[in-house]
Amino acid sequence: MHTVAVLALRKVIPFDLSTPIEVFTRARLPDGRPGYRIRVCAEQPEVDADSFTLRAHHGLEGVRGADTVIVPGTSEPMTPPTPAVRAALRQAAADGTRIASICSGTFPLAACGLLDGLRATTHWVAADRLAAAHPDIEVDPDVLYVDNGQFLTSAGAAAGLDMCLHMIRRDYGSAVAADAARLSVMPLEREGGQAQFIVHDHTPAPTPAGSALEPVLSWLRDNLARPLTLDDIAAHAGVSTRTLIRRFREQTGTTPLQWLHRARIRQAQHLLESTRHPVERVGAQVGFGSPTAFRDRFKRTTGVSPYAYRRNFASPPGR
């Protein structure tokens, strides 16, 4: 039987802790036998989970010999793991154990150096902090989970369910995973990634405070519906296209047209959530010349279609 050690760190997030326990205990093999044995492990017998204290049945020795170790998120992700936890995780990695994280549980793995040179994810709210603290990691804030083989990382909250179901499918095949998904009242694969959930307060795109580009970015926000070209933007800024591109790269980290596309999609998200305008009209309102171009760009950016986004996030009529 496959043994899963769930490592509860101080300030563990209860939802993240319970996710692997619930999902893996629902996995049944074709003959009815359970597919997994679960161990909840902690450095100390009692773990502070903010709103309550939990008692783990296993100490860090429970990590040894496990087939999979899962690190749930904590409410204090920047707190480094203790030397004992660090040693336990590094030893598990050296032994070839599969190690996964849920939400901010990516931070302890990163602090142990286990994700250096790899692609990883975490909750989108914390993605910038992870990237800043660990520049050797390729942080992808748009996906639900990343599977690097031995190391897996997932985004916040419900994305841990997606990752656990993925691991069940890796271990026992699609039939067992699909049955566990049904018992968890979850689709085996959700449409889209984490990008559709990222909130930017409905400002079209971040504007660097004090940037020389602020007047240009403000003008772009006011003219999203216009069919703007690179030459149009450069003419308004009073610079050459080459200078414009260079300044955008330096001050926003992207190109003028990429910034404009992001701004249009963010405004479209706001309109899809807050109005009942037809999708075609929303696309036109934010400057897309055809419904097809709008749908294609929206799905590339968010991972879902405009219709699916509205279904998931639109405010009910009358609100």
Side-chain angles (χ1 to χ4, degrees):
M1 187 186 299
H2 190 114
T3 299
V4 176
V6 183
L7 180 55
L9 303 180
R10 183 178 176 274
K11 297 293 184 178
V12 66
I13 297 172
F15 186 95
D16 295 352
L17 175 71
S18 64
T19 293
I21 298 171
E22 291 298 310
V23 176
F24 285 114
T25 54
R26 288 187 169 97
R28 289 291 183 270
L29 304 185
D31 61 5
R33 290 182 296 117
Y36 297 90
R37 177 190 299 110
I38 309 296
R39 299 175 187 162
V40 177
C41 309
E43 183 175 6
Q44 302 296 330
E46 290 191 346
V47 181
D48 178 5
D50 278 330
S51 55
F52 60 90
T53 300
L54 63 88
R55 178 171 289 274
H57 288 173
H58 300 272
L60 291 179
E61 75 282 352
V63 172
R64 293 195 297 271
D67 300 289
T68 296
V69 175
I70 298 181
V71 182
T74 74
S75 60
E76 297 178 350
M78 300 304 293
T79 300
T82 66
V85 169
R86 191 184 298 260
L89 288 173
R90 285 179 171 169
Q91 185 60 56
D95 293 340
T97 304
R98 181 172 67 185
I99 302 177
S101 65
I102 296 175
C103 192
S104 58
T106 304
F107 283 79
L109 301 193
C112 292
L114 303 183
L115 303 177
D116 288 354
L118 299 178
R119 180 167 159 260
T121 193
T122 188
H123 195 295
W124 61 265
V125 167
D128 287 345
R129 278 184 288 167
L130 180 66
H134 301 282
D136 291 334
I137 299 173
E138 179 189 349
V139 179
D140 187 343
D142 294 337
V143 296
L144 295 174
Y145 60 85
V146 174
D147 183 351
N148 288 299
Q150 183 182 6
F151 303 107
L152 298 91
T153 54
S154 68
L161 293 165
D162 298 280
M163 182 186 68
C164 290
L165 291 170
H166 169 73
M167 288 193 284
I168 294 173
R169 183 166 51 187
R170 267 183 50 177
D171 296 337
Y172 293 114
S174 294
V176 173
D179 184 58
R182 283 191 292 270
L183 290 172
S184 301
V185 198
M186 273 281 295
L188 185 53
E189 291 188 34
R190 280 196 287 166
E191 183 181 4
Q194 192 178 191
Q196 63 187 300
F197 301 103
I198 297 176
V199 175
H200 301 278
D201 298 327
H202 301 308
T203 55
T207 303
S211 165
L213 285 177
E214 282 189 84
V216 179
L217 301 183
S218 179
W219 177 78
L220 286 174
R221 286 197 298 270
D222 293 337
N223 290 275
L224 293 178
R226 291 179 53 189
L228 297 172
T229 66
L230 187 61
D231 287 338
D232 294 330
I233 302 170
H236 179 81
V239 297
S240 68
T241 56
R242 178 177 295 183
T243 299
L244 181 74
I245 292 170
R246 176 175 55 80
R247 289 181 181 175
F248 260 80
R249 287 280 188 198
E250 291 172 350
Q251 298 179 40
T252 72
T254 188
T255 68
L257 292 181
Q258 287 172 335
W259 191 97
L260 180 61
H261 284 314
R262 289 174 59 203
R264 284 172 167 162
I265 293 303
R266 287 177 180 172
Q267 179 64 10
Q269 288 176 295
H270 174 55
L271 293 172
L272 289 168
E273 293 174 25
S274 61
T275 75
R276 305 311 300 169
H277 297 166
V279 166
E280 293 75 14
R281 179 180 170 186
V282 170
Q285 284 178 287
V286 297
F288 287 91
S290 74
T292 299
F294 172 53
R295 288 192 295 268
D296 289 348
R297 173 66 65 172
F298 193 94
K299 187 161 188 177
R300 284 204 305 273
T301 303
T302 68
V304 295
S305 71
Y307 298 98
Y309 185 88
R310 169 168 277 169
R311 186 172 63 246
N312 290 338
F313 297 109
S315 299
R319 288 188 58 186

